[in-house]
Amino acid sequence: MAQPVRIEPDLQFVKELQAVGGESLKKCYQCATCSVACPISPASNPYPRKEMVWASWGMRDKLLNNVDIWLCHNCGTCSDLCPRGAKPGDLLAALRNMAYQRLTKPSIVGKWMSSPKYLPILFGIPAVLWAVVWMIMASVNGTVIPEGTIVFGKLFPSDFTIDPIFIVTFFSMVGIFWKGTRNLIASFKPEGKTLVLGKTKHWILHLVDVLREEILTHSKFKDCGDDRSDRKVGHMAVFYSFIILMIVTAIVAAGHWGGKVIPAIALHTPMPLLFPVKILANIGAIMLVVGLAILTHRRRQQDPEKTRSNYYDWYLLNVIWFVTLTGIGAQLFRLADIAPVAYFVYYLHLVSVWMLFAYLPWSKLGHLVYRTAALTYVRMMGRR
């Protein structure tokens, strides 16, 4: 005979969940339309119906330790077809937002990311950091705006400011992600041990499969419905533009630092517009603008009665827009030889890039790491 299970609802958790995007969960009356409609929900133990039940009951640990919240690709089909407007897709997005705060320390940053009232703090930290650098270099140069040809390195030399600051920022971000991913995988593991028969693959091979079959191709977007092809195009344009710009950054860094040892490979900025690396950088910038425009238009066209974009969604989009427009603007004002505006826009670009990378583990973009880890885990467990 089955033993009764005692459920102790966490009412505070329900309130927190409703505050970050799951405010409509109480409309659910358990018809299971969402699980039936989801194109990628597994036949065994499907989502998001069970998540709607657990959320209504306030089962915090059950939800936040649930791998399925990371497998949802937020296509919105479940919310579109829900007869009560309970918005299951928004609930799963809200759960992921809460999980970011739990996985990554210091948790205070996650709190700052959850509400627009903390935006001045998030912006103010890098704004002060780069303003101090600017003032120090201004005192060294004897002028706030350097004279002559516009070279951003006159105010923000890479050897002493940009490279050291961003190297520390990058590796701090990687360390936070590493610890957060370990916490995420540990939360999935059942008690006891699992008996596995036959030959098993190393987790790295599963990770390679996930990257090759799902992440690089965004195949799940197609599985979520061909009528949402604009969503796939927008995400892939942004995704691959970031890869292109990362390659450009790596080439410039290698040319700068490697050139100190091997002068023949030295690269100096600013580079001519027709230089191959510069052409690649501008291609990446154009792809980024196109992808962002598609995703922004799509969010503005959403029916708020079925799917609502929350602050978490708009924060990330706006930061990436900020990075993109200030980067393009700095180049255009440099070419136009408008020194005061060019240097100020470049300062804003540094602020926005730092915001993007430093807060990455707590932002929605963190799903690139956490969802990849979850997909790798379920493959190790035999799920596809």
Side-chain angles (χ1 to χ4, degrees):
M1 182 176 178
Q3 295 295 319
V5 177
R6 180 181 177 85
I7 297 175
E8 298 182 359
D10 187 336
L11 299 182
Q12 182 59 35
F13 168 71
V14 175
K15 293 179 181 178
E16 292 175 3
L17 186 56
Q18 290 176 313
V20 295
E23 73 280 352
S24 57
L25 70 91
K26 291 298 183 180
K27 295 181 180 179
C28 175
Y29 66 167
Q30 294 305 307
C31 67
T33 299
C34 53
S35 291
V36 175
C38 179
I40 62 174
S41 180
S44 175
N45 202 25
Y47 56 81
R49 183 191 179 217
K50 65 181 186 298
E51 284 74 21
M52 297 298 288
V53 176
W54 295 342
S56 297
W57 291 350
M59 301 177 69
R60 177 188 181 93
D61 292 339
K62 191 82 171 175
L63 281 166
L64 296 182
N65 295 335
N66 175 27
V67 68
D68 287 344
I69 68 174
W70 298 101
L71 306 186
C72 165
H73 280 61
N74 205 28
C75 69
T77 301
C78 57
S79 297
D80 289 345
L81 299 179
C82 178
R84 291 289 297 266
K87 304 178 183 176
D90 286 2
L91 174 82
L92 293 181
L95 286 168
R96 290 191 292 271
N97 295 346
M98 295 185 73
Y100 290 136
Q101 299 180 36
R102 180 179 64 97
L103 290 169
T104 49
K105 305 296 181 183
S107 57
I108 186 63
V109 180
K111 181 181 178 181
W112 291 344
M113 296 285 290
S114 65
S115 173
K117 69 181 181 180
Y118 297 110
L119 186 57
I121 298 177
L122 296 174
F123 181 84
I125 292 173
V128 170
L129 170 65
W130 292 109
V132 169
V133 172
W134 189 340
M135 292 302 101
I136 292 175
M137 292 307 301
S139 65
V140 172
N141 296 331
T143 177
V144 174
I145 304 297
E147 298 178 357
T149 304
I150 299 175
V151 177
F152 296 127
K154 292 179 180 179
L155 272 186
F156 305 100
S158 59
D159 288 8
F160 311 112
T161 61
I162 292 179
D163 286 1
I165 290 174
F166 277 110
I167 286 173
V168 171
T169 301
F170 175 79
F171 283 105
S172 297
M173 178 261 291
V174 170
I176 291 171
F177 263 133
W178 174 257
K179 192 169 183 179
T181 302
R182 288 174 61 90
N183 292 337
L184 180 71
I185 298 299
S187 71
F188 296 153
K189 291 181 179 179
E191 294 181 5
K193 295 183 178 180
T194 302
L195 176 64
V196 180
L197 300 177
K199 187 176 180 179
T200 60
K201 291 172 64 174
H202 194 276
W203 69 267
I204 292 179
L205 298 179
H206 285 292
L207 173 61
V208 171
D209 289 342
V210 168
L211 293 174
R212 177 171 52 87
E213 297 174 10
E214 299 191 34
I215 305 302
L216 295 178
T217 62
H218 284 49
S219 61
K220 280 293 188 288
F221 285 83
K222 182 178 180 181
D223 296 340
C224 284
D226 291 333
D227 58 325
R228 291 176 171 81
S229 59
D230 62 327
R231 180 168 177 254
K232 179 178 179 179
V233 171
H235 276 85
M236 290 195 73
V238 172
F239 178 74
Y240 280 102
S241 66
F242 270 115
I243 290 178
I244 288 173
L245 295 173
M246 286 174 62
I247 291 173
V248 169
T249 302
I251 292 174
V252 172
H256 175 76
W257 291 102
K260 296 179 182 297
V261 180
I262 308 175
I265 66 170
L267 284 178
H268 302 287
T269 56
M271 294 177 288
L273 285 177
L274 296 181
F275 191 71
V277 178
K278 191 67 172 181
I279 293 174
L280 185 61
N282 285 328
I283 290 174
I286 293 171
M287 286 177 58
L288 193 51
V289 170
V290 172
L292 287 172
I294 293 173
L295 296 180
T296 303
H297 175 72
R298 183 178 177 276
R299 287 209 170 272
R300 291 189 177 279
Q301 294 299 112
Q302 286 179 333
D303 183 354
E305 295 299 321
K306 295 181 178 179
T307 303
R308 184 176 69 88
S309 295
N310 56 39
Y311 171 70
Y312 229 69
D313 300 318
W314 286 116
Y315 171 85
L316 178 61
L317 264 179
N318 287 330
V319 168
I320 299 178
W321 268 119
F322 195 20
V323 170
T324 305
L325 296 180
T326 54
I328 294 173
Q331 175 176 257
L332 294 178
F333 287 117
R334 178 181 63 80
L335 294 174
D337 199 27
I338 308 176
V341 179
Y343 283 112
F344 181 71
V345 172
Y346 186 71
Y347 159 76
L348 293 177
H349 182 63
L350 293 176
V351 171
S352 61
V353 172
W354 193 92
M355 288 179 67
L356 181 65
F357 283 98
Y359 305 140
L360 192 63
W362 296 271
S363 76
K364 188 180 177 182
L365 200 58
H367 75 272
L368 279 174
V369 174
Y370 295 132
R371 178 173 287 156
T372 301
L375 289 169
T376 302
Y377 174 81
V378 297
R379 288 206 179 204
M380 292 172 61
M381 296 296 104
R383 289 176 57 182
R384 292 298 299 271

